[in-house]
Every structure is written in structure tokens, then in C-alpha cells.
């Protein structure tokens, strides 16, 4: 696979888990680890648990926010053991791996991020809503939460199997090569800000009572996996609305 796959850990508390994740990644051929504000890193405990995957730890990048970690990514998956208030497109790790494999073929080396949450409380709703897909390992409902390194192991194993067996045909939305690169996360965020400010200007969105407008719009647009040209079209339309409002007011 040409695809660059980042494993992103948000606010990990136990540094031993970071080492366990590095080992799980290296076993399955992944090397790109990003740590969002870890409690303690680097640490002797992480190196001990990495058991020979120190190169993954040494190359790990530490950033301040999840947005920074995923800004350049085109496909972003959030892992979660629980269903949340507003339903989001959800898949199991095998389906996720097929999508990554198919996108790899159709789009010429996209950047992918798979995001993992805090040991005690997972990811916040805001963090989950930055991601296009939610991935749930179908564990038993009465004891659903895996240790984070075990969760990374399951996900990394499925990606490895998908790439060894070439399962790209199992993700039908990527049947043909695409004619434009997928939009990056940072471009989507700029577009969502643009939507919000324009809809406030037109009076469609009341900033004092936004309800779930932006969350639902986000979910709609991210479900379509827009490419860079499509994002430019949508933003061009927003700009034209703003200009029109300006000319009406004169
Ligand atoms: N108590 C937390 C679980 C945290 S486990 C919660 O209720 O959300 C730490 C991380 O491991 C989770 O944020 C998720 O990234 C991953 N993880 C654990 N179990 C998982 C599962 N069944 N499916 C997908 N990811 C899981």
C-alpha cells in the first residue's frame, strides 16, 4: 500500500500503553505514530513496553491538538467502543480496512488517520465529529472496552490482512479511480467555518441557538467524502452568497 497510515493517540495517560501501541504497530508493518498531548512522553515505561519497537517511539510526533494531528489527512477514522448520541457512519475494523485498501487504489496514496481515545473516557463528541467514520470492534456489550494497545492491534491486523489479500473490491464506493484528490481535513474544517459564518450572515443560523445544525451538516458532507474540487465549488457558492448579501445591502 502506498497509503500513509497514522495511528493517533489522544491524551494517553499510561505511557506503558504508548509502548504497547508501538509494538502492536511494528508487528503489523505500521510506523507512523502521532501523540496528542500525552501525559508523559518519552518515558522509560513506554520504551520497556515497546520491546524492540523503539524506532516507532523515536519517530513519534507529539502535537497539541487532534485537529493538528489530522490536518493533512483525507480519511479519518475514530475508534470507539460506545454508540453516541448522534449516530455517525459506523463500521467494523474489517470494513474499515477494505475502505483504506480501496482508497489506496483509487486515489493514489491518500493520507489516513485512525484515532484512539483516552484510557478512561475515550474520545469526546467534538473529537468524534472531526472524523468521517467511526470504527467499533464488535466486542461483547457487557464488557466492550479493550485496552488501547489491544484495540490498535486488532485494527492494525485487519489493515495488514486487507493489504495481503487485496480486498479493495469489497468497498464499492471506490470501484473506479477518482479524478481529484480527496479534500484534506484542514480544508474541510475551513469549509465548515465558512458555512457557519455565511449561514449566520444570511440569518439561517442563529448563533445563540445553533442546535445541532453544524454537527448534522458536518455528518452530511463528510459522508460524501468530498474531493478538493468539490470543496472549492461549495466554498465558491458560499462566497457568492456573501457577495450577493453585500450588494443587496448597499
Ligand atoms: N471507557 C472508554 C474506553 C476507552 S478504551 C469509553 O467508554 O469510550 C481506550 C480507547 O481504545 C478507546 O477510546 C478506543 O479508541 C479504543 N477502543 C477500546 N475498545 C474499543 C472497541 N470495542 N472498539 C473500538 N475501539 C476501542
Amino acid at each position: 500500500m502506498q497509503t500513509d497510515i497514522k495511528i493517533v493517540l489522544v491524551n494517553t495517560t499510561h505511557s506503558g500503553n504508548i509502548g504497547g501501541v508501538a509494538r502492536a504497530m511494528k508487528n503489523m508493518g505500521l510506523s507512523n505514530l502521532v501523540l496528542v498531548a500525552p501525559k508523559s512522553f518519552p518515558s522509560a515505561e513506554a520504551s520497556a513496553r515497546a520491546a524492540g519497537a523503539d524506532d516507532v517511539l523515536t519517530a513519534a510526533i507529539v502535537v497539541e491538538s487532534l485537529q493538528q494531528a489530522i490536518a493533512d489527512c483525507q480519511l479519518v477514522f475514530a475508534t470507539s467502543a460506545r454508540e453516541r448520541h448522534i449516530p455517525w457512519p459506523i463500521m467494523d475494523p474489517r470494513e474499515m480496512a477494505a475502505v483504506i485498501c480501496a482508497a489506496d487504489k483509487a486515489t493514489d496514496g491518500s493520507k489516513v488517520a485512525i484515532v484512539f481515545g483516552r484510557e478512561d473516557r475515550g474520545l469526546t463528541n467534538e473529537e468524534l465529529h472531526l472524523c468521517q467514520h467511526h470504527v467499533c470492534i464488535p466486542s461483547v456489550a457487557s464488557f466492550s472496552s479493550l485496552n488501547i494497545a489491544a484495540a490498535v492491534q486488532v485494527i492494525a491486523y485487519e489493515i495488514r490482512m486487507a493489504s495481503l489479500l487485496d480486498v479493495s473490491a469489497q468497498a464499492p464506493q471506490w470501484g473506479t479511480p477518482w479524478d481529484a484528490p480527496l479534500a484534506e481535513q484542514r480544508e474541510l474544517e475551513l469549509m465548515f467555518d465558512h458555512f457557519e459564518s455565511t449561514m449566520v450572515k444570511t440569518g439561517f443560523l442563529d448563533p445563540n441557538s445553533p442546535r445541532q445544525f453544524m454537527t448534522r451538516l458536518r455528518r452530511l458532507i463528510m459522508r460524501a467524502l468530498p474531493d478538493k474540487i468539490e470543496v472549492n465549488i461549495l466554498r465558491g457558492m458560499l462566497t457568492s452568497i456573501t457577495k450577493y448579501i453585500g450588494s443587496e445591502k448597499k
Side-chain angles (χ1 to χ4, degrees):
M1 263 200 236
Q2 302 174 41
T3 299
D4 174 359
I5 301 174
K6 285 185 198 181
I7 298 294
V8 179
L9 309 184
V10 177
N11 292 163
T12 312
T13 310
H14 301 291
S15 37
N17 279 336
I18 298 177
V21 166
R23 180 179 186 177
M25 288 170 61
K26 189 166 177 178
N27 284 144
M28 298 297 137
L30 299 179
S31 56
N32 205 342
L33 176 62
V34 181
L35 306 170
V36 178
K39 190 166 179 209
S40 154
F41 184 80
S43 78
E45 172 107 43
S47 303
R49 283 275 306 280
D54 306 81
D55 50 338
V56 176
L57 290 182
T58 310
I61 295 172
V62 178
V63 296
E64 281 306 307
S65 71
L66 176 57
Q67 293 217 9
Q68 256 178 290
I70 62 180
D72 61 346
C73 293
Q74 287 130 320
L75 286 175
V76 184
F77 300 88
T79 58
S80 172
R82 290 179 290 145
E83 298 228 353
R84 306 299 174 115
H85 181 52
I86 291 201
W88 218 253
I90 192 155
M91 48 180 77
D92 67 37
R94 199 158 293 176
E95 291 165 329
M96 176 212 70
V99 170
I100 294 174
C101 206
D104 180 64
K105 288 212 150 167
T107 61
D108 221 19
S110 315
K111 285 199 174 184
V112 172
I114 309 170
V115 183
F116 295 81
R118 301 157 186 83
E119 290 98 327
D120 57 345
R121 58 201 161 90
L123 295 163
T124 64
N125 284 334
E126 290 69 33
E127 288 162 345
L128 285 163
H129 294 161
L130 293 174
C131 309
Q132 289 126 343
H133 298 98
H134 294 173
V135 180
C136 184
I137 299 166
S139 45
V140 293
S142 56
F143 195 60
S144 61
S145 176
L146 280 74
N147 167 269
I148 188 169
V152 170
Q153 189 72 81
V154 171
I155 298 278
Y157 168 74
E158 290 295 344
I159 294 171
R160 174 127 181 101
M161 286 302 285
S163 110
L164 290 176
L165 299 175
D166 186 4
V167 297
S168 49
Q170 288 171 27
Q173 78 267 42
W174 296 107
T176 46
W178 207 245
D179 60 350
L182 293 179
E184 292 172 17
Q185 180 64 25
R186 66 159 76 85
E187 294 164 326
L188 293 179
E189 289 309 317
L190 288 171
M191 178 180 61
F192 292 132
D193 289 347
H194 199 167
F195 259 108
E196 190 167 19
S197 59
T198 310
M199 291 302 107
V200 168
K201 277 183 203 140
T202 64
F204 182 78
L205 175 63
D206 176 359
N208 299 315
S209 175
R211 306 215 180 145
Q212 296 291 350
F213 171 75
M214 284 311 299
T215 306
R216 289 184 185 278
L217 184 69
R218 195 174 256 286
R219 184 176 65 172
L220 168 68
I221 292 179
M222 296 211 299
R223 222 157 61 216
L225 295 177
D227 62 41
K228 286 174 185 274
I229 297 174
E230 291 162 342
V231 164
N232 283 341
I233 291 172
L234 289 170
R235 292 202 62 183
M237 287 163 65
L238 294 171
T239 303
S240 79
I241 292 172
T242 309
K243 276 195 193 142
Y244 181 75
I245 302 171
S247 66
E248 284 286 284
K249 281 186 181 155
K250 277 177 199 155

